[in-house]
Amino acid sequence: MTQADSATKPGEAETGAGDFHVFDTTLRDGAQMEGLRYSVADKLAVAELLDELGVDYIEGGWPGAIPSDTEFFARAADELNFKHARLVAFGMTRRAASTAAEDPGFKALLDSRAPVLCLVAKSDMRHVEQALKTTPEENLAMIADSVRTGREHDRQVFIDCEHFFDGYRHDPVYAALVVKTALDVGAEAVVLCDTNGGSIPSDITAAFTDLRARLAADLPPERIRLGMHAQNDTGCAVANTVAAVEAGAMHVQGTANGYGERPGNANLFTVIANLETKLGRKVLPDGGLEKLTRVSHAIAEIANMTPDEHAPYTGHAAFAHKAGIHASAIKADPALYNHIEPELVGNDMRILVTEMAGRASVELKGRELGIDLAGDKDALDRITKRVKELESKGWSFEAADASFELLVRDEVEGGLPRPFTLDTYRVIVDHDPNGATVAEATVRVDVEGERVISTAQGNGPVNALDAALRSALAARHPRLAELTLSDFKVRILAGSTGTDAVTRVLISMSDGEAEWTTVGVAPNLIEASWNALADGLAYGLNRR
Amino acid sequence: MTQADSATKPGEAETGAGDFHVFDTTLRDGAQMEGLRYSVADKLAVAELLDELGVDYIEGGWPGAIPSDTEFFARAADELNFKHARLVAFGMTRRAASTAAEDPGFKALLDSRAPVLCLVAKSDMRHVEQALKTTPEENLAMIADSVRTGREHDRQVFIDCEHFFDGYRHDPVYAALVVKTALDVGAEAVVLCDTNGGSIPSDITAAFTDLRARLAADLPPERIRLGMHAQNDTGCAVANTVAAVEAGAMHVQGTANGYGERPGNANLFTVIANLETKLGRKVLPDGGLEKLTRVSHAIAEIANMTPDEHAPYTGHAAFAHKAGIHASAIKADPALYNHIEPELVGNDMRILVTEMAGRASVELKGRELGIDLAGDKDALDRITKRVKELESKGWSFEAADASFELLVRDEVEGGLPRPFTLDTYRVIVDHDPNGATVAEATVRVDVEGERVISTAQGNGPVNALDAALRSALAARHPRLAELTLSDFKVRILAGSTGTDAVTRVLISMSDGEAEWTTVGVAPNLIEASWNALADGLAYGLNRR
């Protein structure tokens, strides 16, 4: 069913007592993040992933106000087939001294064909007077008119009360009146927004508790439908959201990976995992929670943001245990150290190989890769020593399992066969007077005893080197054609300054079935890339 | 006074009712973070920064167990002169069936000469039995003996109760007995550690409240001295710490920038800012809070970690406002949108220039840079259009103020004079059969009408290009010698895959007085670096 067919009829929402809304605003509020830019195609892909996870509402943007959002909703109407979620168009309540039916901004929301509207409204008296420059009464009329008009058009309508908590402290009577007005005229729920992000959990608990008590004078409990929208300026957005649920909220808003303006929005994935595993609230459909890690990483890729390794639940390091004593204890009983089973959220426990962890970690890591080091103490010592040595020079195996495996097999089995050995390479980059840049690489390698020279061009030095190397190996190793580079990361390790600092490159490759990552470290990008490329190809060709 | 002189005499601590401890464990627990490695010199530098900020305790490591930590304490005794903080040596309570005086691990702590000890103890019955493999009674004796022995040696002693909250749920009577035992024998405070990080704030509030009630049967309130040590596995570490203080904790532990294992420790800087600005608790000395942002960034540099732009309070984006409507409102009243004054924590408000923000943001940004665009609508339109166009190609001006200024001045004033125009360049990188890599760059530029050709070598292509360009300009622009590169960042923008993705380079330069950042974007690193370098030098030479 397309989202155009799924509009709730007026009256249905009110019988939804006991329902709970997971409301994602990655594509609207979360899109405000510095450096983040979604194409329309990106937005459609993100929306599909969120629906796959099982969120209830996906706020797609602000049609009419942002041209690319208008385009998104137009394409969504034809291209998105949600299994579970409902698409939401964000906007404002109608302008003062007008009607919703005549307001061009409001009409644009209806034209988007989204079955759900989420309208931001003022609930802080000071904003009504200074920002909207209107009266408290007109503000209430704007809200009521907008909700009613939306419902007349068969839309579900949410009201976002902007700056709610600051406003509630300033004038709780008026703020409560705004909420009551919206609920009275049939808003699906009223979302209390900590727009400045300045709240801590005890503020949220107190406000929700106090507000519910005020509203109870006029509304039965099942009609007090409140939501929470937290910003992370005090580092408490997730906690504020959980506190709101504990104080009776039935609707939570957040963004994928906490993306958003300033310190970001509440990380919806962390919120979901906390609600499910700590509060025992099932907020996703069956099978949803275990998709959390994959969806988190997939959205980071689309957003072109480096995944946060340290994100709770979904980060690559979330269940990565390092210290030597922990590693020994974990072998005994993982439940002693993991606060939940990582598999619940689709993540894994990892043992990190570093100088602090020592032999126990190297052994565990080897086991993870299918290599039994327990019986070979000398090899274990040699490997541990080599790892520490390389790491002191900037190598990092934590993200490069394939490089670690090559190192281990070198020490234990005399090494994997290397498809080639490097003699020389030369890379030339030319910038001509017309401004065009061309790179050319020539590599001389020994391929199974035969000297091969190969030259290739590319739009940059690493690109050209990669092409030349594959070309040199192609005749002997036709399977190389199946290997693709899936990721290429560069990090300048600030040891010395500026342009001669140590460079670390991570290259991920795939043969269509598996993906592996290798690392290369050198004083310059080209040498570091060469190291990572060479290891990656060697690993890939050995995989069968 | 060196920290060796500042040991508290036994008995003094108990009269400290009303005192509050900010306890930093960046160099011990925070050092467990994946990919983080401090040299001893790094640790000394971090310790000095933390003392400058004004924390009360700096846990320096585990002498005896970690060789580089033993070295750190040895050097600290001679080289560190804290103005305010006290140095802490971390370790374990003595081993079972021994005495603290005989325990080699304990002796190593005393040998470190740190005036304060922090000992991790078991308070969860299951860990006592399975991990320590001893009896509940012996565990209490281990704690009491260790605290007494430490105090006999004129040390302040803290007890860290590992896995406290899990243990308290399992057996609150025993856990409370552990705490009481430690307080009875003179522990400075007992720190409740959420070692697995699985707690949410309501868990913490309930546990502290319940524990205080149990302890009140035996101890007067001023002797119930409890601390909080949170891990961030539920994304609530900061909130848990604040909740603990609201429930009576007088001691908080955390790390700089939240560094630590798995999702990290509680970010001590966020905790400090919340306690001061939200709870109104003065926990740093006068002038301390405004150093927060600088200290946060300085420690990130030493740790060689990319600063988290989105960190609350201290992040570069913490007070960066983007959306068009906000920018207009902020001009009216900054307090409407900033939850605190950024200057309180040494940060600034910034207006971001992006396609979503529009003309209002560009105008504000120009004003920030001292350029008045209000009177020139055509220029404002042209600049806004050029910014959007370049950003759609991967350029980012948010972190590159100097590039933005050059763009604006190009449109408004016909541009800043450029010290050179590029004709061609060629970069050659050779890897020889011995494994050595050399890069050589030749640039042909027009310097004020004169054609100059210059060649230079470097250990990498960008390094060589930088050297060649400066060499070409040196005769005409001797002031170039004062310009140094202070930072060089590379980011591969994953548009297409792998090695031919768009590369963005940010280069920071300094002339000893000011620092400026320029951006370059191109399909390869060398071209992108050239763009950023050229703009950076042009900007620098124009600064007078």
Side-chain angles (χ1 to χ4, degrees):
Chain A
M1 125 181 124
T2 63
Q3 82 285 356
D5 300 335
S6 60
T8 302
K9 304 296 174 290
E12 268 184 48
E14 280 138 53
T15 61
D19 60 332
F20 191 92
H21 304 159
V22 176
F23 183 111
D24 181 285
T25 181
T26 300
L27 300 177
R28 198 275 307 170
D29 208 22
Q32 310 273 58
M33 182 156 127
E34 188 172 358
L36 185 55
R37 198 172 312 118
Y38 294 115
S39 66
V40 173
D42 290 338
K43 284 195 154 194
L44 292 165
V46 168
E48 281 175 343
L49 282 161
L50 291 168
D51 179 53
E52 199 189 327
L53 179 65
V55 305
D56 301 301
Y57 293 93
I58 296 173
E59 196 173 57
W62 193 342
I66 297 171
S68 59
D69 285 357
T70 309
E71 192 192 334
F72 166 76
F73 281 95
R75 286 184 59 181
D78 298 322
E79 297 177 42
L80 282 181
N81 274 298
F82 284 155
K83 291 193 275 296
H84 178 88
R86 316 192 81 207
L87 191 63
V88 183
F90 172 87
M92 298 191 298
T93 47
R94 67 146 170 86
R95 290 171 193 284
S98 172
T99 69
E102 292 166 350
D103 185 303
F106 197 87
K107 285 173 71 180
L109 301 188
L110 295 174
D111 290 343
S112 77
R113 290 186 277 161
V116 185
L117 307 183
C118 186
L119 310 174
V120 64
K122 302 297 185 190
S123 52
D124 182 330
M125 183 78 82
R126 297 164 298 185
H127 282 261
V128 171
E129 291 164 352
Q130 297 177 41
L132 288 186
K133 299 191 180 5
T134 191
T135 67
E137 295 74 28
E138 176 59 12
N139 184 47
L140 294 177
M142 287 155 62
I143 292 167
D145 182 23
S146 305
V147 174
R148 281 201 196 98
T149 307
R151 297 197 73 217
E152 282 160 17
H153 286 83
D154 291 336
R155 306 304 202 265
Q156 268 181 316
V157 185
F158 290 99
I159 290 291
D160 272 357
C161 285
E162 212 190 21
H163 296 286
F164 182 83
F165 298 92
D166 294 339
Y168 198 73
R169 266 189 288 274
H170 175 72
D171 184 344
V173 173
Y174 183 71
L177 184 54
V178 165
V179 175
K180 177 182 177 306
T181 301
L183 290 171
D184 272 346
V185 298
E188 184 66 31
V190 176
V191 185
L192 313 184
C193 302
D194 188 26
T195 308
N196 280 358
S199 298
I200 59 177
S202 53
D203 296 331
I204 302 301
T205 305
F208 265 83
T209 306
D210 192 81
L211 175 67
R212 289 185 69 87
R214 282 180 200 267
L215 295 174
D218 300 302
L219 294 166
E222 69 273 11
R223 293 214 31 224
I224 302 174
R225 294 162 62 81
L226 304 173
M228 179 68 199
H229 174 114
Q231 301 286 142
N232 199 35
D233 296 73
T234 59
C236 295
V238 166
N240 288 347
T241 309
V242 171
V245 173
E246 289 177 304
M250 42 64 74
H251 169 116
V252 294
Q253 296 198 355
T255 64
N257 305 327
Y259 294 154
E261 235 185 316
R262 305 189 311 273
N265 286 52
N267 184 329
L268 190 62
F269 299 155
T270 315
V271 169
I272 286 169
N274 282 342
L275 295 180
E276 292 239 346
T277 70
K278 305 298 171 184
L279 297 191
R281 306 277 294 257
K282 191 177 189 314
V283 301
L284 291 181
D286 285 335
L289 191 62
E290 66 203 36
K291 297 176 186 164
L292 202 67
T293 298
R294 179 172 60 79
V295 170
S296 166
H297 282 89
I299 292 179
E301 266 197 55
I302 295 170
N304 193 28
M305 303 297 298
T306 310
D308 180 4
E309 288 215 332
H310 301 282
Y313 295 108
T314 59
H316 193 49
F319 300 95
H321 298 273
K322 181 166 175 171
I325 40 168
H326 289 184
S328 318
I330 284 163
K331 277 197 287 184
D333 183 0
L336 274 187
Y337 284 92
N338 288 330
H339 74 110
I340 63 157
E341 285 177 31
E343 294 74 27
L344 282 178
V345 293
N347 208 339
D348 301 302
M349 184 171 84
R350 287 193 302 125
I351 304 297
L352 300 177
V353 179
T354 69
E355 57 178 351
M356 288 187 70
R359 295 169 68 250
S361 301
V362 172
E363 190 192 324
L364 275 164
K365 185 74 184 173
R367 199 183 306 167
E368 211 176 283
L369 297 171
I371 306 166
D372 183 8
L373 293 166
D376 192 342
K377 289 196 60 180
D378 287 340
L380 190 50
D381 281 343
R382 284 197 310 273
I383 292 166
T384 306
K385 189 170 170 216
R386 256 190 90 196
V387 166
K388 291 184 182 189
E389 205 180 295
L390 287 167
E391 286 198 329
S392 70
K393 292 181 189 163
W395 293 73
S396 167
F397 294 98
E398 289 158 354
D401 276 1
S403 285
F404 178 73
E405 190 175 336
L406 289 169
L407 187 159
V408 171
R409 294 195 189 279
D410 273 351
E411 290 293 336
V412 168
E413 305 166 0
L416 289 177
R418 296 304 170 104
F420 64 92
T421 52
L422 171 66
D423 189 34
T424 69
Y425 68 68
R426 162 173 280 208
V427 179
I428 303 176
V429 181
D430 275 309
H431 176 108
D432 72 25
N434 301 321
T437 307
V438 171
E440 184 178 281
T442 302
V443 303
R444 286 163 56 166
V445 291
D446 278 301
V447 189
E448 292 159 22
E450 187 186 322
R451 167 68 54 88
V452 180
I453 299 176
S454 179
T455 298
Q457 290 196 337
N459 63 7
V462 179
N463 183 236
L465 205 63
D466 178 38
L469 180 54
R470 286 169 185 259
S471 167
L473 300 173
R476 287 275 186 166
H477 297 281
R479 279 185 13 237
L480 265 187
E482 303 160 14
L483 303 185
T484 56
L485 258 77
S486 53
D487 200 11
F488 176 66
K489 289 192 175 98
V490 180
R491 177 155 166 210
I492 311 294
L493 309 178
S496 51
T497 48
T499 59
D500 65 351
V502 174
T503 304
R504 177 194 302 157
V505 166
L506 287 168
I507 287 183
S508 297
M509 291 188 190
S510 169
D511 59 6
E513 287 174 16
E515 194 177 273
W516 58 94
T517 304
T518 47
V519 61
V521 174
N524 70 80
L525 174 72
I526 295 176
E527 186 73 12
S529 301
W530 172 270
N531 292 335
L533 271 171
D535 272 2
L537 292 173
Y539 186 90
L541 290 175
N542 267 295
R543 257 185 37 79
R544 308 275 166 113
Chain B
M1 119 179 127
T2 64
Q3 79 285 357
D5 300 336
S6 59
T8 302
K9 304 294 174 289
E12 265 184 49
E14 281 140 50
T15 60
D19 60 332
F20 191 93
H21 304 158
V22 176
F23 183 110
D24 181 287
T25 181
T26 299
L27 299 177
R28 199 275 305 169
D29 209 21
Q32 310 272 60
M33 182 157 127
E34 187 172 0
L36 184 55
R37 198 173 311 116
Y38 294 116
S39 67
V40 172
D42 290 338
K43 284 195 154 194
L44 292 165
V46 168
E48 281 175 344
L49 281 162
L50 291 168
D51 179 52
E52 197 189 329
L53 180 64
V55 305
D56 301 302
Y57 293 94
I58 296 172
E59 195 172 58
W62 194 341
I66 297 170
S68 58
D69 285 357
T70 309
E71 192 192 334
F72 165 77
F73 281 94
R75 287 185 58 183
D78 298 323
E79 296 177 42
L80 282 181
N81 276 298
F82 284 156
K83 288 192 276 297
H84 178 88
R86 317 191 79 206
L87 191 63
V88 183
F90 172 88
M92 297 192 300
T93 49
R94 68 147 170 86
R95 290 171 193 284
S98 173
T99 69
E102 290 166 355
D103 186 305
F106 198 87
K107 287 173 69 178
L109 300 189
L110 295 174
D111 291 343
S112 77
R113 289 186 276 161
V116 185
L117 308 182
C118 185
L119 311 174
V120 62
K122 302 296 185 190
S123 52
D124 182 331
M125 182 79 82
R126 296 165 297 185
H127 283 260
V128 171
E129 291 165 351
Q130 295 178 41
L132 288 185
K133 299 191 183 355
T134 191
T135 67
E137 296 74 26
E138 175 61 9
N139 184 47
L140 295 177
M142 286 155 63
I143 292 168
D145 182 22
S146 306
V147 174
R148 281 200 195 97
T149 307
R151 297 196 74 218
E152 282 160 16
H153 286 84
D154 290 335
R155 306 304 203 263
Q156 269 182 314
V157 184
F158 290 99
I159 290 291
D160 272 356
C161 284
E162 213 191 20
H163 297 286
F164 182 83
F165 298 92
D166 294 340
Y168 197 74
R169 267 189 289 273
H170 175 72
D171 184 344
V173 173
Y174 183 72
L177 184 54
V178 166
V179 176
K180 178 181 176 307
T181 301
L183 289 172
D184 273 347
V185 297
E188 185 64 32
V190 177
V191 186
L192 313 184
C193 302
D194 188 27
T195 308
N196 281 358
S199 298
I200 58 177
S202 53
D203 296 331
I204 302 301
T205 306
F208 266 82
T209 306
D210 193 81
L211 176 67
R212 290 184 67 88
R214 282 181 199 268
L215 294 174
D218 300 302
L219 293 166
E222 69 273 12
R223 293 211 34 222
I224 301 176
R225 294 163 61 82
L226 303 173
M228 180 65 198
H229 175 115
Q231 301 285 143
N232 200 34
D233 297 73
T234 60
C236 295
V238 166
N240 287 347
T241 309
V242 172
V245 173
E246 288 177 306
M250 42 66 73
H251 170 115
V252 295
Q253 298 198 354
T255 63
N257 305 328
Y259 294 155
E261 238 186 313
R262 303 189 313 272
N265 285 53
N267 184 329
L268 190 62
F269 300 155
T270 316
V271 168
I272 286 168
N274 281 341
L275 295 180
E276 293 239 345
T277 70
K278 304 298 170 182
L279 298 191
R281 307 276 294 255
K282 192 177 190 312
V283 300
L284 291 182
D286 286 335
L289 191 62
E290 67 204 38
K291 297 176 187 163
L292 202 68
T293 297
R294 179 171 59 77
V295 170
S296 166
H297 282 89
I299 292 179
E301 265 197 55
I302 295 170
N304 193 27
M305 303 297 297
T306 310
D308 179 5
E309 288 214 332
H310 301 283
Y313 295 109
T314 58
H316 193 49
F319 299 95
H321 298 274
K322 182 168 176 170
I325 38 168
H326 288 186
S328 317
I330 284 164
K331 276 197 288 186
D333 182 0
L336 274 186
Y337 284 93
N338 288 328
H339 74 111
I340 62 158
E341 285 177 31
E343 294 72 27
L344 281 179
V345 292
N347 208 339
D348 301 301
M349 184 171 85
R350 289 192 301 127
I351 304 297
L352 302 178
V353 178
T354 69
E355 58 178 354
M356 286 184 73
R359 295 170 67 253
S361 301
V362 171
E363 191 192 326
L364 275 165
K365 186 74 184 176
R367 198 184 306 166
E368 211 177 281
L369 297 171
I371 306 166
D372 183 8
L373 293 166
D376 191 343
K377 288 194 62 181
D378 286 339
L380 189 50
D381 281 342
R382 283 196 311 273
I383 293 167
T384 306
K385 190 169 169 215
R386 256 191 90 194
V387 165
K388 292 184 183 188
E389 203 181 295
L390 288 167
E391 285 197 330
S392 70
K393 292 182 188 160
W395 292 73
S396 167
F397 294 97
E398 288 159 352
D401 276 1
S403 285
F404 179 73
E405 189 174 337
L406 289 169
L407 186 160
V408 170
R409 294 194 188 279
D410 273 352
E411 290 292 336
V412 168
E413 306 167 1
L416 288 177
R418 300 299 172 107
F420 64 92
T421 52
L422 172 66
D423 189 36
T424 69
Y425 67 68
R426 162 173 278 207
V427 179
I428 303 177
V429 181
D430 274 309
H431 176 106
D432 73 24
N434 302 320
T437 307
V438 172
E440 186 178 280
T442 302
V443 304
R444 286 164 55 168
V445 291
D446 278 302
V447 187
E448 292 159 22
E450 186 187 322
R451 167 67 57 86
V452 180
I453 299 176
S454 178
T455 298
Q457 289 197 336
N459 64 6
V462 179
N463 183 236
L465 205 61
D466 179 40
L469 180 54
R470 286 167 186 260
S471 168
L473 301 174
R476 286 276 186 165
H477 297 281
R479 277 183 18 236
L480 266 186
E482 303 161 15
L483 302 185
T484 57
L485 258 76
S486 54
D487 199 11
F488 177 66
K489 291 193 174 97
V490 179
R491 179 155 165 211
I492 312 292
L493 309 177
S496 52
T497 47
T499 60
D500 63 352
V502 174
T503 304
R504 178 195 301 158
V505 167
L506 286 168
I507 287 183
S508 299
M509 292 187 188
S510 168
D511 61 5
E513 286 174 17
E515 195 177 272
W516 58 94
T517 304
T518 47
V519 61
V521 175
N524 71 82
L525 173 74
I526 295 177
E527 186 72 12
S529 301
W530 172 270
N531 292 334
L533 271 171
D535 272 2
L537 292 174
Y539 186 88
L541 290 175
N542 267 295
R543 256 184 39 79
R544 309 278 164 113

